Amino acid sequence: MSPAKSEKDLYDGLSKKDRQALSRELARIKREEERARRRRNRILFVTGSVVVAVAILAGVGFAVYNGIRATFVGPANMLSDGVLFTGDGSSVSATTTDALQPGEEPIASELDTSQVLRLTEYVDYASADVSTFETTNGAALQGYVSAGYASLELHPVALEGPGSYAARAANAFACVANGLPNAALVAHNALVAAQPTLPDGGLSNDELVKLMEDAGITDDGIASCIRGDEFSDWVTGATDRAKASIPNSDVTALSTVPLLVVDGTAYTGALDDTEALNTFITEVFTEKSAAAAGDGTTEDGATDGGTGTEGSTPAPSPAPAG
């Protein structure tokens, strides 16, 4: 096969008219080739841009998804929507649990009343009634726990809804429970003590951080959690769940705060009457103890034929006036 001819060789032997026609045809072919080249480059550019954009959007979407998902994960150590505190006779500690995951329902703590009183309290830190009740009775109830007579499960709620001071205060409590669970009772007491002097709109997030720091809770992660309202969605969900149902209680739903449930029975007496609360607790304890002893079964399952309460937890001493 002979070598390809140069463009000059193509014109040899042609008339002027034919050379002009050939020139036009070659120019047309070149224009078509250039247009085809530009189209290929444009397609490659658009395709590459789409791939890059999809990759970026996928990365952003994944980050956004993780961020949204994180806002729906509950605080660690509050799988029941509350923190359970127990005592060993001298100190109080929080029960550690996993965090509530998105789409999961809380797991209510088991109501085993055979050993200690089970105290469950729902609190809204913006409520003056909560402040009154806690100021009058809080130290005594926590004293029962420290002495080993009772356990206490605290459930923070925000009846005024998302964005309220109550919601931000409940979030602050959840942040402490999540990061330093054994300090959650300290956080609770600090939030209760702050209620009577709250400004309009309550404390800001920075002021809540300062409140925790003044109480000795100086963890940077907790401060960041409070400022970022990390568990605000959980607070909303926990409040809605409490309004719908109160586990292990003769109260069907939360309508007002504070709500104190003792071994499944809600206290309905005066919030500032320590004697009335002591009487209620003693009556509930006596009733539960009698019911437990009435089956005549000892701890090892044998029947002793008696109805005494030997071996059961003694009734807590009356609480001092607040």
Side-chain angles (χ1 to χ4, degrees):
M1 185 175 181
S2 59
K5 293 182 178 181
S6 67
E7 187 172 319
K8 181 180 179 181
D9 293 338
L10 293 175
Y11 291 96
D12 290 346
L14 296 178
S15 65
K16 180 178 180 181
K17 182 178 180 180
D18 289 339
R19 285 198 299 271
Q20 291 174 341
L22 180 58
S23 294
R24 287 193 296 270
E25 181 62 17
L26 291 175
R28 184 190 65 79
I29 292 173
K30 286 181 179 180
R31 287 195 300 272
E32 289 295 331
E33 288 178 343
E34 180 61 21
R35 281 196 291 268
R37 185 187 67 80
R38 286 198 296 268
R39 281 197 299 270
R40 286 196 302 270
N41 288 345
R42 194 160 50 245
I43 291 171
L44 289 173
F45 174 77
V46 171
T47 302
S49 299
V50 169
V51 170
V52 171
V54 169
I56 292 173
L57 289 173
V60 171
F62 184 72
V64 170
Y65 167 78
N66 277 343
I68 293 174
R69 181 181 183 278
T71 67
F72 285 94
V73 174
N77 311 309
M78 299 188 74
L79 191 58
S80 66
D81 278 347
V83 181
L84 179 63
F85 300 96
T86 59
D88 60 4
S90 61
S91 62
V92 176
S93 60
T95 301
T96 58
T97 71
D98 293 333
L100 187 66
Q101 297 299 310
E104 291 184 348
E105 290 297 317
I107 299 176
S109 300
E110 293 183 7
L111 186 62
D112 180 5
T113 61
S114 63
Q115 298 298 319
V116 298
L117 287 167
R118 287 296 306 274
L119 310 175
T120 304
E121 187 178 359
Y122 290 78
V123 296
D124 181 316
Y125 294 115
S127 168
D129 285 342
V130 168
S131 175
T132 297
F133 179 77
E134 280 288 322
T135 300
T136 306
N137 304 296
L141 295 178
Q142 292 174 32
Y144 292 159
V145 178
S146 178
Y149 291 138
S151 64
L152 173 64
E153 186 167 285
L154 286 175
H155 289 253
V157 296
L159 297 184
E160 295 178 0
S164 64
Y165 168 70
R168 291 186 287 106
N171 174 75
F173 177 89
C175 288
V176 175
N178 179 75
L180 294 172
N182 285 335
L185 199 55
V186 174
H188 164 78
N189 291 336
L191 289 164
V192 167
Q195 194 283 329
T197 58
L198 289 176
D200 291 342
L203 302 178
S204 68
N205 284 352
D206 284 338
E207 289 169 333
L208 282 168
V209 170
K210 180 66 163 53
L211 182 68
M212 295 298 105
E213 290 175 344
D214 289 346
I217 303 170
T218 58
D219 184 87
D220 289 342
I222 290 175
S224 176
C225 176
I226 293 172
R227 290 191 175 99
D229 287 318
E230 186 170 322
F231 295 115
S232 59
D233 292 307
W234 171 83
V235 171
T236 301
T239 301
D240 290 343
R241 287 188 287 270
K243 288 180 178 179
S245 174
I246 302 294
N248 299 324
S249 171
D250 60 351
V251 175
T252 57
L254 180 70
S255 58
T256 186
V257 287
L259 172 62
L260 176 68
V261 181
V262 180
D263 281 359
T265 304
Y267 173 65
T268 57
L271 300 178
D272 58 353
D273 191 338
T274 302
E275 184 177 351
L277 179 60
N278 284 333
T279 300
F280 170 75
I281 289 175
T282 300
E283 288 176 350
V284 171
F285 180 87
T286 302
E287 180 183 347
K288 297 293 183 180
S289 296
D295 62 5
T297 302
T298 63
E299 291 184 358
D300 61 3
T303 302
D304 62 13
T307 58
T309 58
E310 182 179 354
S312 63
T313 303
S317 301

